Amino acid sequence: EVQLVESGGGLVQAGGSLRLSCAASGFTLDDYAIAWFRQSPGKEREGVSCISKSDNAIAYADSVKGRFTISSDHAKNTVYLHMTSLKPEDTAVYYCAAEDSSWVIHGTCWTEYDYWGQGTQVTVSS
């Protein structure tokens, strides 16, 4: 069974840093694209970053470029989102999601994602 478990969220002051983890099971990262999304109450879900080794793709939303870094550790089957220079507008529930790379267009990792974790809360205070 495909499962994704996020961790690492918490409360941090503006300008601080957090590292989120997405532990995958039931599949190997070699075969899937992984993305981080976030959602705040009353707002649409936003794609933050994605990575796909098979499709040779890494992408970031304009709002987080230069501040967030996505990475993967295939030995641990885990994807990370390292967040720095956090702003209050980064406050959201962060979700990781997975999609079989067979359905992803080569060169991009923005796609429909079928598998989702439970989310982890990130709160940035001013």
Side-chain angles (χ1 to χ4, degrees):
E1 179 182 354
V2 173
Q3 290 189 332
L4 302 168
V5 180
E6 303 97 331
S7 62
L11 175 64
V12 63
Q13 292 191 342
S17 301
L18 285 173
R19 189 183 74 168
L20 306 183
S21 299
C22 175
S25 61
F27 66 97
T28 174
L29 295 182
D30 291 335
D31 301 324
Y32 281 74
I34 304 294
W36 287 97
F37 290 82
R38 64 187 182 185
Q39 188 165 29
S40 300
K43 297 182 179 179
E44 295 184 1
R45 185 169 56 209
E46 176 188 21
V48 176
S49 184
C50 60
I51 185 168
S52 176
K53 296 297 185 181
S54 297
D55 297 297
N56 192 31
I58 297 177
Y60 298 94
D62 288 341
S63 59
V64 306
K65 285 182 179 177
R67 299 189 298 120
F68 292 10
T69 302
I70 192 169
S71 63
S72 61
D73 184 337
H74 285 221
K76 296 182 178 180
N77 222 41
T78 299
V79 175
Y80 303 95
L81 184 69
H82 187 224
M83 307 182 295
T84 63
S85 301
L86 284 162
K87 305 174 181 179
E89 52 261 44
D90 295 318
T91 296
V93 177
Y94 284 71
Y95 300 89
C96 64
E99 178 63 48
D100 190 324
S101 293
S102 297
W103 301 104
V104 180
I105 298 172
H106 185 73
T108 183
C109 49
W110 293 124
T111 187
E112 179 181 355
Y113 282 85
D114 293 328
Y115 303 99
W116 294 80
Q118 84 291 339
T120 185
Q121 177 71 48
V122 172
T123 302
V124 184
S125 64
S126 59

